[in-house]
Structure formats: C-alpha cells, structure tokens
Amino acid sequence: MTNSETEIPAIDWGRTDLLIELALSEDLDTTGDVTTNSVVPENATAEAVLLCKEPGMVLAGLPVAERVFKLVEPRLEFKAIREDGDHCEYGDVLAEIHGPARGLLIAERTALNFLQRLSGVATTSAKYAAALKGTKTLVLDTRKTTPGYRNLEKYAVAVGGATNHRIGLYDRVMIKDNHREMAAMEGPGGITRSVERARQAHPELEIEVEADTLDEVREALEAGADHIMLDNMSDEMMAEAVKLVNGRAKLEASGGITLERLPRIGKIGVDFVSAGALTHSVKAADISLDIKVSK
C-alpha cells in the first residue's frame, strides 16, 4: 500500500452490492442490453484485460469491479494481476477476465465506472499525502462524498495513503460554525456551552470545534475540545494557534487547502489537514477494457 500505517476501512459489501444493483438497473432497465443480446451469440466466449491508460495511477476498486462482473455473469473468471494500492503506469494490465462474452460486455461500463472513480480518488489522495511527506501532518478526507458512495470513497482515500476523518454525523461530535451561531443566541460562551453539552450527552466520543479566530481557538481549548479545526486561517494565524495550543488539543487546518500549499502547512506543525478535494472534485482515472474473442 502507499502508506503502510494507514488504516484501510473494509468494503461494506452490503451497501456496495446495492450500488452495483442500482447501477446495473440504470443500464439494463427491464429490457436488458439490446445491442449485445442482438449481436453477440449466446454461447460466445471472450478474453478481456483491464488496462491502465495513464501514468502514475493508484489502483483502487478492483474487488468492486470483480464483484460487478460476477453479479452479471457468475461464470466469468476474474484474475487480478495488480492489487489495490499499487502504483500503475500506462499499459499495465490490472486484471484478466475470461468467460461468456455477453456477460463481459454487459458488465463492462458499470465495472469501469466504479474502478475509474475509486482509482481517481486514490490517485488524488496519494498526491496530497506525498505533499506532506517528511512532516508529522496527515491529510484527512471529509464528508463531501458522492451520496451513497462514502464507504467506497473513504476506502479509496485510505488506499491512496491519506487518512479518514469521521465517517458520518454519528461517530464524532463536530461543532461547526452554524452550531456555534445557534449556541450564541443564548449569549456569550457559546463554544463552552456546546462542548459541555456534547460531553455530557456523548462522553464516549471525541469533540471537535471549528474556530475562525484565535479567540475561538482559546475558548475551545479552555472548554476541553479534543480537536480544533482552524477554518480558513492564514499560515500566520495557524502558526499562532499552534503556539497557543501547545499540544493540548489536536489541530486541523481546513478551508482554502490546495496541493501547492500543503508543504507550507506541514511545516507549521498542525496535526491534520482536511481537504474535500480528495473526493468531491477528482478526475476519474483512465482505464479501459479490451476484449479478444476466443471463439
């Protein structure tokens, strides 16, 4: 894997199978693949390879692609040549597939859609993680994921060597700007009240507070927040926050994060950098399926 210390979440096959079934139903509706079923003989078999068509790609989602082929046609034989987390170059064979030709053609686009999307996420994540190499700062993903794809996209982030943030609204208390604004309607000390209430309601969970200013960082620290998000702060403000906190809470830089800026942020000494770009705006990787008719 790109980063052996990265904990990679297991693929949730229950949710993934639902996504695959939905994707196939979009393609096939009630009629099926009218072209393949008209043109390709029912007993025809074929061999196919999945090919990397771009340099520097990090592979992710190969088990999902295999699942698509097997759900469409259980008789298809799928042989993985590479594995998730591998760095691949143009022309590398990722997998070989053999069996009923109709099944290959019917599953092709759906399998590629999953594989290209997840490999794109992994490749982008690898670039962000590499930009922080040599620092103690880790790059985190966000909840800005494709609806329904969170488990798969966070899996791909970890495969690429970046780190998963909270999975959803249920596994960490995260007091953001709108929460603070509503708490402030009761008067000064909104962050303090919010942390105290959250701690009482969910003592088992870590608490994170989003801070826009150094005064808010100070209040969150005094309230006992475990993590403080430095939202849209300049490098200079973040450096001041690091001095102020002095290791008493974990610091996460967020907002305005670009690949070019990461090395500078890493040198400041924050613990984490979160970037929605790992999932919300990645380019799908270029992967093709080439078929060779065997009889």
Side-chain angles (χ1 to χ4, degrees), residues 11-259:
I11 294 176
D12 183 338
W13 287 111
R15 293 179 187 270
T16 299
D17 284 349
L18 290 174
L19 288 172
I20 293 171
E21 291 169 9
L22 179 61
L24 289 171
S25 72
E26 288 178 327
D27 249 357
L28 302 174
D29 198 38
T30 59
T31 308
D33 184 345
V34 295
T35 307
T36 296
N37 292 338
S38 299
V39 174
V40 179
E42 187 175 1
N43 63 349
T45 62
E47 297 175 359
V49 291
L50 290 170
L51 289 175
C52 176
K53 301 300 290 290
E54 65 178 58
M57 184 194 80
V58 179
L59 179 62
L62 199 59
V64 181
E66 179 179 5
R67 190 81 154 204
V68 174
F69 285 108
K70 291 296 183 67
L71 286 175
V72 169
E73 175 49 81
R75 293 174 294 171
L76 286 170
E77 298 176 6
F78 188 100
K79 179 183 178 182
I81 305 300
R82 307 300 294 268
E83 63 180 23
D84 281 5
D86 283 354
H87 285 250
C88 303
E89 299 300 330
Y90 184 93
D92 284 352
V93 176
L94 310 177
E96 298 173 349
I97 314 158
H98 176 270
R102 285 187 177 185
L104 275 171
L105 291 172
I106 291 169
E108 174 185 3
R109 175 43 52 198
T110 297
L112 285 174
N113 284 346
F114 279 101
L115 191 59
Q116 291 176 305
R117 171 68 183 171
L118 297 180
S119 294
V121 170
T123 301
T124 298
S125 298
K127 292 176 181 178
Y128 274 68
L132 288 167
K133 187 176 180 180
T135 74
K136 72 168 189 175
T137 306
L138 298 176
V139 61
L140 302 173
D141 56 21
T142 71
R143 288 170 49 242
K144 296 175 182 178
T145 53
T146 307
Y149 277 68
R150 182 162 299 166
N151 166 254
L152 287 178
E153 291 183 350
K154 283 182 173 282
Y155 165 84
V157 164
V159 164
T163 304
N164 296 147
H165 207 306
R166 63 174 179 163
I167 304 302
L169 296 174
Y170 61 87
D171 59 339
R172 176 183 291 189
V173 174
M174 195 162 176
I175 301 166
K176 301 196 74 176
D177 53 353
N178 287 334
H179 300 106
R180 294 197 325 260
E181 290 298 321
M182 297 187 75
M185 294 171 65
E186 299 178 51
I191 290 177
T192 301
R193 279 194 304 276
S194 297
V195 172
E196 289 174 350
R197 290 170 180 173
R199 188 74 72 192
Q200 183 175 7
H202 294 285
E204 76 285 4
L205 297 179
E206 290 186 313
I207 296 175
E208 181 164 0
V209 174
E210 179 183 307
D212 297 332
T213 67
L214 292 176
D215 284 341
E216 290 173 348
V217 170
R218 188 175 291 105
E219 184 179 355
L221 182 64
E222 293 173 354
D226 303 294
H227 297 253
I228 302 173
M229 177 190 289
L230 309 178
D231 187 49
N232 283 296
M233 288 191 180
S234 66
D235 294 355
E236 293 74 20
M237 283 185 68
M238 281 193 282
E240 287 298 317
V242 169
K243 292 179 183 178
L244 173 64
V245 172
N246 194 27
R248 290 175 288 170
K250 297 291 186 182
L251 292 179
E252 172 190 335
S254 183
I257 304 300
T258 62
L259 192 58

Side-chain angles (χ1 to χ4, degrees), residues 246-277:
N246 194 27
R248 290 175 288 170
K250 297 291 186 182
L251 292 179
E252 172 190 335
S254 183
I257 304 300
T258 62
L259 192 58
E260 295 73 23
R261 191 184 176 198
L262 284 178
R264 298 201 313 272
I265 295 177
K267 292 177 182 178
I268 291 171
V270 297
D271 300 281
F272 305 104
V273 174
S274 57

